[in-house]
Amino acid sequence: MAQLPPLPQNYTYSAEHEWVDGAADELVGKTVKVGITAVAADALGEVVYVDLPEVGDTITAGETCGEVESTKSVSDLYTPVTGEIITINEAAVDSPGLLNSDPYGEGWLFEVAVTEVGEVMDAAGYAEANSL
């Protein structure tokens, strides 16, 4: 495993390796960014394509909402929250390698106006679940 960037402590994580930029108890009613973790990006290898939901789409926590394709495989994206897609990160669509080089910053995928939070964990729980 490559040297991974530090796990943001103030983010919320799913078992499927997606992150949300905020604490789980503070997400409902906010617009937040969603992305994939460095663990996922490392496991995928070089990301070459992302397929994201469209602005205005409603996504449901725990369900697929797109996919990430790498030189090794294709992986479904699962959303950790329910809500409406507000913005798509066009930079990540145009340069999917951002998911590898800056998964917690410029490599975010979309913003969603959250109405409900699915099954998620804090950074400590995610780190423990993934032996980080």
Side-chain angles (χ1 to χ4, degrees), residues 44-48 69-73:
L44 283 166
E46 182 186 350
V47 176
V48 295
E69 190 174 320
S70 73
T71 53
K72 290 195 229 177
S73 66

Side-chain angles (χ1 to χ4, degrees), residues 1-109:
M1 182 183 285
Q3 176 68 33
L4 300 178
L7 200 61
Q9 296 300 302
N10 57 335
Y11 282 17
T12 299
Y13 300 88
S14 71
E16 292 80 23
H17 309 289
E18 285 83 19
W19 58 259
V20 181
D21 68 341
D25 60 349
E26 300 172 353
L27 299 176
V28 174
K30 290 189 175 177
T31 297
V32 298
K33 290 179 180 170
V34 175
I36 65 168
T37 67
V39 172
D42 184 59
L44 283 166
E46 182 186 350
V47 176
V48 295
Y49 176 76
V50 291
D51 179 34
L52 301 175
E54 295 185 18
V55 171
D57 285 355
T58 298
I59 55 175
T60 303
E63 295 187 4
T64 59
C65 63
E67 61 185 28
V68 177
E69 190 174 320
S70 73
T71 53
K72 290 195 229 177
S73 66
V74 176
S75 183
D76 285 332
L77 280 175
Y78 292 87
T79 177
V81 294
T82 297
E84 181 182 342
I85 299 295
I86 303 299
T87 309
I88 299 298
N89 184 0
E90 296 293 345
V93 172
D94 294 341
S95 302
L98 286 171
L99 279 70
N100 298 108
S101 63
D102 193 9
Y104 303 117
E106 295 300 314
W108 62 276
L109 297 173

